[in-house]
Amino acid sequence: MAESVVVDQNLTKTEKYETLLPQIEALVTGESDLVANLANVMAALKFGLNFFWVGAYLVKERELVLGPFQGPVACTRIAFNKGVCGACYTRRETMLVPDVEAFPGHIACSSDSKSEIVVPVFKNNEVVMVLDVDSDQLNDFDETDKVYLERLAELMSTWF
């Protein structure tokens, strides 16, 4: 297991992801505990990519329940039909939202959140978790984030 994660902040976004994802894989190799792996991944993403907020919402009993995260306190439970996370769950696809205020039914867990990307994690073709990343800047996520966070979601799916 790796003991630290290092990402040069002078790199491009793509280079940061290319540097970070192998480190995340090393970080979780040999660890079978879901919470431990999710906690370390959230910390690696927060500090490696300077995200405002990053966290896991796990599917539990007909709703999304907050799991490990990094950043300000967050909503604890989200209904499947509410907000960006709920839309990600029900649509079964990555949600890329440049301005959360323009998203119908957005849940304001933090008034500082301006844009968001939410990626579903699948196991046996069912959504078991969503990876939620918020920014305090408008239009902060793009196709690069989508590609690499979906790749990370594939790794995370093996933990369920």
Side-chain angles (χ1 to χ4, degrees):
M1 179 179 114
E3 296 297 323
S4 64
V5 172
V6 178
V7 177
D8 181 347
Q9 294 306 306
N10 295 315
L11 298 173
T12 66
K13 184 188 288 190
T14 298
E15 292 169 330
K16 286 178 184 177
Y17 277 113
E18 289 287 339
T19 299
L20 184 60
L21 290 184
Q23 292 182 73
I24 288 175
E25 287 189 58
L27 187 65
V28 301
T29 296
E31 179 53 62
S32 61
D33 187 82
L34 176 64
V35 173
N37 285 336
L38 289 175
N40 272 330
V41 168
M42 299 314 139
L45 288 171
K46 167 80 170 145
F47 294 101
L49 295 166
N50 291 317
F51 288 142
F52 170 70
W53 191 93
V54 58
Y57 278 95
L58 303 162
V59 175
K60 294 186 178 183
E61 300 177 16
R62 300 183 184 198
E63 63 187 344
L64 298 168
V65 179
L66 181 64
F69 73 94
Q70 292 281 317
V73 296
C75 300
T76 303
R77 294 177 182 272
I78 300 174
F80 289 151
N81 61 347
K82 300 289 183 191
V84 181
C85 290
C88 175
Y89 174 83
T90 57
R91 296 179 190 176
R92 302 169 50 85
E93 64 186 30
T94 297
M95 303 296 299
L96 189 59
V97 181
D99 179 356
V100 296
E101 294 299 324
F103 188 88
H106 173 255
I107 300 169
C109 292
S110 170
S111 61
D112 292 331
S113 179
K114 304 294 183 218
S115 60
E116 186 171 8
I117 185 170
V118 184
V119 180
V121 175
F122 295 94
K123 184 66 173 188
N124 299 325
N125 206 32
E126 295 293 325
V127 178
V128 292
M129 185 191 102
V130 298
L131 172 62
D132 183 16
V133 185
D134 292 14
S135 174
D136 57 0
Q137 304 296 312
L138 289 170
N139 201 29
D140 206 21
F141 303 107
D142 57 24
E143 190 65 24
T144 299
D145 297 291
K146 181 179 185 291
V147 166
Y148 285 98
L149 292 174
E150 286 178 349
R151 192 177 298 170
L152 179 59
E154 289 176 23
L155 170 66
M156 291 189 291
S157 72
T158 65
W159 305 338
F160 288 86

